[in-house]
Amino acid sequence: MDADTQSKDIEDSGYSRLVLFSFWQSSCSWRVRFAFNLKGLSYEYKAVNLAKGEHFSPEFEKLNPLHFVPVLVDGNVVISDSYAILLYLEEKYPQRALLPTDPQRRALNLQVSSIISSSIQPLHMLSVLKQLEEKVGREESLLWAQSSIERGFRALELLVKDFASRYATGDEVYMADVFLAPQIAIATVRFNIDMSKFPTLGRIYESYKVLPEFLASTPERQPDTVH
């Protein structure tokens, strides 16, 4: 689909500015919700029920042919990757910056975010684990996910331990934290990861748990939550 066709489809849909297509259990969507809250940006929440296959609908395919959430629609701009969404928000809506000005800490934030988005989260996606379970069984699939998460956490622990204070790279919440908070939450709740193995990550996660912006972004507080 070319850019003109995509823009025409968006205009015809009547979407208002800043619309987030999200699923309550998606950690990638969770990152973006957390960032929205930190930046104080209001947005329209459009639920996409992955359990019912709504991400494979023709309407959603126009927004993201890969059929993943989240998708951000900002006027006639469509972005369908959480990392790209956060970088876009940082440039378009610079209030409450999520990247520090110091080059070293800025690079560290980008590195942490990249590790989570490319080397940890994709390895425990439900679609991936389902395929693994069909081949090797549920227990082996879980063990593989746990091993993948812990390998990534070991790297992150080493990366941030000399920079971390209250949060991952200092006393302010930055992009590294936006990625870390949902990832650690899912690792502990869904995959039973023992965070005592990662004392720095475990400590800063306790700081996230009292942030109003983080609490408001949690899965159980989303309009499409299923209890």
Side-chain angles (χ1 to χ4, degrees), residues 98-118:
L98 295 179
L99 288 172
T101 56
D102 174 70
Q104 183 180 16
R105 290 181 185 268
R106 188 182 186 92
L108 179 60
N109 273 270
L110 293 172
Q111 187 176 1
V112 169
S113 302
S114 181
I115 287 171
I116 293 170
S117 66
S118 63

Side-chain angles (χ1 to χ4, degrees), residues 27-181:
S27 62
C28 298
S29 299
W30 190 348
R31 300 166 193 161
V32 179
R33 298 193 302 256
F34 189 15
F36 269 127
N37 295 342
L38 288 168
K39 285 184 169 291
L41 294 171
S42 60
Y43 63 96
E44 181 181 355
Y45 188 107
K46 289 276 189 180
V48 181
N49 192 323
L50 304 189
K52 294 182 178 179
E54 292 178 357
H55 51 310
F56 292 112
S57 70
E59 294 78 15
F60 190 76
E61 186 170 349
K62 293 177 182 178
L63 299 173
N64 184 7
L66 279 175
H67 309 285
F68 293 150
V69 291
V71 173
L72 174 68
V73 176
D74 185 8
N76 63 353
V77 175
V78 180
I79 310 169
S80 56
D81 175 85
S82 63
Y83 200 0
I85 288 171
L86 289 173
L87 291 175
Y88 172 81
L89 291 176
E90 188 69 359
E91 292 186 16
K92 181 75 179 291
Y93 304 96
Q95 66 267 32
R96 180 55 182 85
L98 295 179
L99 288 172
T101 56
D102 174 70
Q104 183 180 16
R105 290 181 185 268
R106 188 182 186 92
L108 179 60
N109 273 270
L110 293 172
Q111 187 176 1
V112 169
S113 302
S114 181
I115 287 171
I116 293 170
S117 66
S118 63
S119 300
I120 300 178
Q121 186 272 332
L123 301 180
H124 64 70
M125 289 176 59
L126 293 179
S127 59
V128 173
L129 295 183
K130 184 178 180 181
Q131 291 183 30
L132 272 176
E133 186 175 330
E134 291 172 354
K135 293 180 181 297
V136 299
R138 187 172 186 177
E139 184 175 350
E140 286 298 319
S141 174
L142 175 61
L143 289 173
W144 187 83
Q146 290 171 329
S147 175
S148 300
I149 293 169
E150 291 191 350
R151 182 171 62 250
F153 277 9
R154 282 193 291 273
L156 293 171
E157 178 80 12
L158 291 172
L159 276 174
V160 305
K161 68 181 182 67
D162 292 332
F163 295 89
S165 182
R166 185 174 183 182
Y167 304 111
T169 61
D171 290 325
E172 298 290 333
V173 178
Y174 286 121
M175 193 175 291
D177 305 294
V178 169
F179 277 78
L180 276 167

